[in-house]
Every structure is written in structure tokens, then in C-alpha cells.
Amino acid sequence: MAASDDTKTGWQPLAGGRRTGASVFHVSPFTRLARTHAAAVAADTLIALALAGSLFFSISPTQAKERVALGLVLTMAPFSLVAPLIGPWLDRVRGGRRWVVVGANALRAGICVLMIGHLDSLLLFPEVFAVLVLSKAYSVAKSALVPTLVQSDEELVESNSKLSLLSGVMGFVAAVPGLLANLVAGGQGVLVLATGVFALAALFGTQIPPTRVAPERADTIERSELRGAGIRLAASAMGLLRGMVGFITFLIAFDLRRSDAPTWQFGVILASSGLGSMAGAAVAPALRKADVQEERIIQLFLGVTAAMGLVAAYIGQFPGALAMALAVGIAAAGSKLAFDSIVGRDAPDANRGRSFARFETRFQLVWVLGALIPVVVPSRLEIPSRLGFLFVAGAAAFALATYLAGVRAVAAGKPIPERRNPAGRLVRRGVDRLREKKLDGTRPAPSPRKARKAKQEREKDDAAATTPEAAAPAEVPVPATVEVETATAALPPP
């Protein structure tokens, strides 16, 4: 029987069937990762609830913004500098990414213990942002592990869909005991609960089988495929969506803080975002099964986000924030699944784990940049929630328009200009030079700029050597003695 379109594009249900005998007790590698992810997401939700009534939101908005801005800037450092250097090494080490998952959860459990006594201390701020950095590192490592724990590429998108659905479920489920613990024991009780859940996530992480994400370095084919126009357009749209998630997160948080909103409203907003992630994880595969292309799915979610931003701006207040969190959660989760499918379709020779980790690192950086916007704005120019929702609507509309224009340009055969990060290019250049350096102590290969300059000088010398004046033999001065001897030899013999 011929394969269906869904099979070719990777949108296929996981092969299943009823297990009997000893297979009932077998836990698949992906299930072990899913357990770890469920516990990690639940603990992240609990930390967010614990901070609702802490010093993090109790001090004046001006002081809070200064510390949050500093923390977000420090959050970017590990991803912009360390990720290009340490990430490839972790991919090639057996079990490298697994130990990132275990270490991130274990360290967060330890930091939660410290936070219990620092809810009313300034030490809370560095601890919170240490948790945030570890959360982003865990997300990158998880994205790299998923392709290594499934049986085929056909299961990849379905597996990511399950993880997204699980994130929404656990965010909603964890909010209930978190709110109860907050009513009984305050923020300290919620942090105690988060400590135990993070420890459980670390324990589950040790059961993930050790694998090498990318045994070999990326070759020329893989790099060229990942720079294709379709992938770059989809990555740009995904980056803008991640930036909107960070923007909305801190915009709503500070807006609720200014209005002295009760703690339960923070919990409801988190639950709404979790429900949005669940809906996006369920809607995206259903759209693909209805023969909607991946690019159209991303465009559809961008349009929904733009429309919902207008609706939320009209409603305003807490209901508008609720609707905006739901819409952004749907769009971010659903578009991520469509993006994963585009990478699998347009870059068949690329290593999935390494590629997803690279893109996830970029998306996390854009999330931080989006979160900085409502934080760095001075208090006298505070962004109202309605204006923020309009900003999200405009950003989503811009992303949709540029995506459609890019797709049309590709269809017409026009090249899409490639935008590359200058800082990342400098880091990659330094890494490449270190890799090319020989072990015998010789100097490393010249930089691309010096190599081009040397090539231009060689071509200039070659062009000068081939000119008619250069081709003609030069006149060599003849000594006087040689001229006399030549004239004497020319006389006839006596």
C-alpha cells in the first residue's frame, strides 16, 4: 500500500498496540523523558506561583524592573557565549545532554531550598534568575534528546506534540496544589513542594538512556540544508512568536503587580497559558492531517495571534490578559510542531538533535529579548496592558506579512537574504580556527578575511605577470668588455 502524505511529512501517529506479557513492564526511552519533562514543567509552575507573593513582586515596580532587567541580561550570557562552545561538545559525548537534564533539575531543587529562606531577601533575585538559566538549559537539552529517543523520523513530530500536550496538562495540574499550598503555608510551602518535584525530575532523568546526539560534526550538506529559504522563513516566524511569549509573560506579571491583583489571578493566567499549549499541540497535527501545509499552519497561528491581540486590547484588564495568554500559548506550541516538521522535511540529511538544540538556543535568546521590552521601559512610560496587546497584534501581523512575502519570493525564484548574528559568527570563526590548528604546534589556518586578501594579492601579481610589457624580455645591460669582444669577433680573419 502506498504511503500517505502524512507519512512522508512526518505527521504520523506513534505505532502502538496492546502490549502483553513482559512488555507491559517495559518503559520506552521516550516515556522516561516524558516523565522527566512532566515533573520539570510542574515544578516550574510551582516556582512561578511561589514568587507571586514574594519580594520579587512586593518591592516597588521600579526596583523590581532594575533587578529583573539585570537578571534577564545575565540570562542571555550562557546562551550567546557558552552554547556555541559547550553545546557541540555535549552533543558528541555519550550521555552529555542527559546529564544536562539531570543537573539542571538537581540544581534547581537545591536553589529552591535556598529560596525558601530568601523570599523576603534581595538574594532572591540572583536565585530566581539562576533557576531561569537552568530552565532554558534544560529546554535546549530536552529538544536535543527527543530525536535520539524515537524509533524513526516519522515519530518525531508526534513525540514533540505529546511533550507539548504534557506541558499544558502539567502546568494546569500543578497550579491546583500550588494554590492550595500557598493558602496553607504561603510561598515557602509552594517552594517545598517545588523542591520535591525538581528532585523527582532529576531522578527520572537518570533513567534516560545515555546517547550521543551528534557523533560527528556538521558537514557541508547539513549546513546548506539548514540555511534553506523555507527553514529560515519558518525560524524567523518562530523567533517572533517566542519573543511575544517573553513579552506577554512579563507585561502581564508587572501589570498584575501594579494593580495589586490577588495571587489566584497569577495561577489562572498560568493555567490559561498551559491550556493554550495543550490546544496548540492538539490542533497542529489535526490541521496537518487535513492536508494543511506546515507553512500555512504557522501563518494561521500568526493570524489568530494578531486577531486575538486586538480582541484582548478591546476587552482589557484581567479577561484580556487571560485571552492573550491563551492565544500566545496556542500559537507558540502549534507553530513549534509545524517548524519541527519543516526541518525534518527540508533538511533530511541534518542531524535532528543538533539542529533542534541550535534552533532552541536561538529561540530562548529571542524570548529573553522579548521579555526585556516591558522591563527596561521606565516607570514613567509604563506600557499599559491594552497597548501591549496591540503591540503583540502588530508584531504578529508583521510576522505574517513578511512570511507571506518571503514565500512568494521563494516561489518566484528570488533569493532570500541571509541574516547572521555577528557575535555568533565571531565565536564560530574562533572555534573553527582552533579546530584547524594542527597538533604539531604550527600556526592555525588564516582567517577567511586574510585568506581572501592573500588570494587577491596573488591574482594581482599573476595579472601583472601576463601583461605584454611583462611578457617581453627585459634588456640586460652588457658590460663594455663584452661589447669589445663581440665587435672583434665580428671582423673578418686576416
Side-chain angles (χ1 to χ4, degrees):
M1 186 172 66
S4 64
D5 293 338
D6 292 344
T7 304
K8 295 178 182 178
T9 55
W11 296 80
Q12 178 182 352
L14 287 175
R18 190 168 185 177
R19 296 184 297 178
T20 59
S23 61
V24 176
F25 302 98
H26 174 70
V27 180
S28 66
F30 174 75
T31 301
R32 299 175 189 272
L33 176 62
R35 290 177 177 176
T36 305
H37 184 62
V41 171
D44 280 332
T45 304
L46 293 173
I47 286 183
L49 289 175
L51 295 176
S54 67
L55 180 67
F56 198 78
F57 289 112
S58 297
I59 63 176
S60 66
T62 302
Q63 292 178 328
K65 281 195 169 189
E66 293 175 354
R67 290 177 172 83
V68 170
L70 178 61
L72 288 174
V73 171
L74 295 177
T75 301
M76 297 176 61
F79 293 98
S80 59
L81 299 178
V82 179
L85 301 174
I86 305 299
W89 177 78
L90 289 173
D91 290 338
R92 292 193 296 271
V93 174
R94 180 174 175 82
R97 290 293 181 179
R98 181 191 68 168
W99 289 115
V100 173
V101 169
V102 175
N105 287 303
L107 288 174
R108 283 188 288 180
I111 294 175
C112 284
V113 175
L114 299 176
M115 291 171 62
I116 293 174
H118 296 157
L119 282 178
D120 296 324
S121 170
L122 293 178
L123 292 175
L124 178 67
F125 285 88
E127 292 167 356
V128 168
F129 287 104
V131 169
L132 183 60
V133 171
L134 293 171
S135 176
K136 302 304 178 186
Y138 162 78
S139 181
V140 173
K142 182 261 300 178
S143 297
L145 277 175
V146 174
T148 67
L149 302 179
V150 296
Q151 296 179 358
S152 62
D153 289 343
E154 287 75 15
E155 296 183 358
L156 183 56
V157 175
E158 187 73 17
S159 299
N160 283 321
S161 176
K162 288 186 175 182
L163 289 179
S164 298
L165 187 63
L166 189 62
S167 298
V169 171
M170 295 309 299
F172 181 77
V173 171
V176 177
L179 290 173
L180 293 176
N182 188 69
L183 291 175
V184 175
Q188 288 85 354
V190 181
L191 286 175
V192 170
L193 187 59
T195 302
V197 178
F198 272 133
L200 185 63
L203 179 61
F204 285 155
T206 59
Q207 299 176 2
I208 300 174
T211 58
R212 287 186 179 90
V213 172
E216 299 177 355
R217 296 188 179 96
D219 55 13
T220 305
I221 297 177
E222 178 177 346
R223 288 193 293 267
S224 61
E225 286 181 347
L226 292 175
R227 293 173 185 169
I231 294 179
R232 286 191 282 128
L233 288 172
S236 298
M238 268 304 307
L240 282 173
L241 277 172
R242 283 293 183 88
M244 294 177 205
V245 173
F247 175 81
I248 284 297
T249 299
F250 282 85
L251 176 73
I252 294 177
F254 279 103
D255 185 69
L256 293 177
R257 167 68 185 89
R258 287 193 304 270
S259 60
D260 294 327
T263 305
W264 66 265
Q265 290 191 3
F266 289 90
V268 173
I269 292 290
L270 290 174
S272 177
S273 179
L275 288 174
S277 298
M278 291 172 55
V283 170
L287 289 174
R288 186 62 195 95
K289 290 178 181 178
D291 293 332
V292 180
Q293 293 297 319
E294 289 86 351
E295 291 82 359
R296 293 297 182 189
I297 293 174
I298 298 178
Q299 294 162 11
L300 176 62
F301 283 127
L302 288 173
V304 170
T305 304
M308 188 57 70
L310 297 176
V311 173
Y314 176 77
I315 298 174
Q317 303 303 322
F318 177 70
L322 201 63
M324 196 73 261
L326 179 66
V328 172
I330 293 174
S335 298
K336 181 59 168 63
L337 296 178
F339 174 75
D340 292 346
S341 182
I342 290 174
V343 173
R345 182 196 66 195
D346 293 352
D349 297 315
N351 181 282
R352 302 289 188 271
R354 172 170 50 211
S355 304
F356 288 167
R358 184 180 306 164
F359 284 119
E360 188 66 24
T361 301
R362 297 176 185 175
F363 296 156
Q364 297 294 356
L365 285 172
V366 178
W367 183 95
V368 174
L369 291 174
L372 277 171
I373 296 176
V375 173
V376 299
V377 174
S379 299
R380 63 180 182 275
L381 302 175
E382 201 74 52
I383 301 178
S385 59
R386 293 176 183 266
L387 182 60
F389 300 154
L390 287 176
F391 178 79
V392 171
F398 172 78
L400 177 59
T402 54
Y403 200 168
L404 291 173
V407 170
R408 292 194 184 98
V410 172
K414 297 179 181 179
I416 303 297
E418 183 176 357
R419 299 178 179 88
R420 304 186 68 177
N421 181 11
R425 184 168 61 250
L426 291 175
V427 173
R428 286 191 296 271
R429 181 182 298 175
V431 173
D432 292 339
R433 295 192 67 188
L434 289 175
R435 289 175 179 171
E436 294 173 0
K437 186 176 181 179
K438 297 181 180 180
L439 298 178
D440 57 1
T442 57
R443 296 181 62 185
S447 64
R449 182 179 178 182
K450 292 182 178 180
R452 287 194 300 268
K453 186 176 181 181
K455 182 179 179 181
Q456 292 174 357
E457 292 178 353
R458 289 195 302 269
E459 292 176 351
K460 184 178 180 180
D461 294 340
D462 294 341
T466 56
T467 56
E469 293 78 4
E475 294 183 359
V476 180
V478 181
T481 55
V482 176
E483 292 179 355
V484 173
E485 293 176 357
T486 304
T488 305
L491 295 176

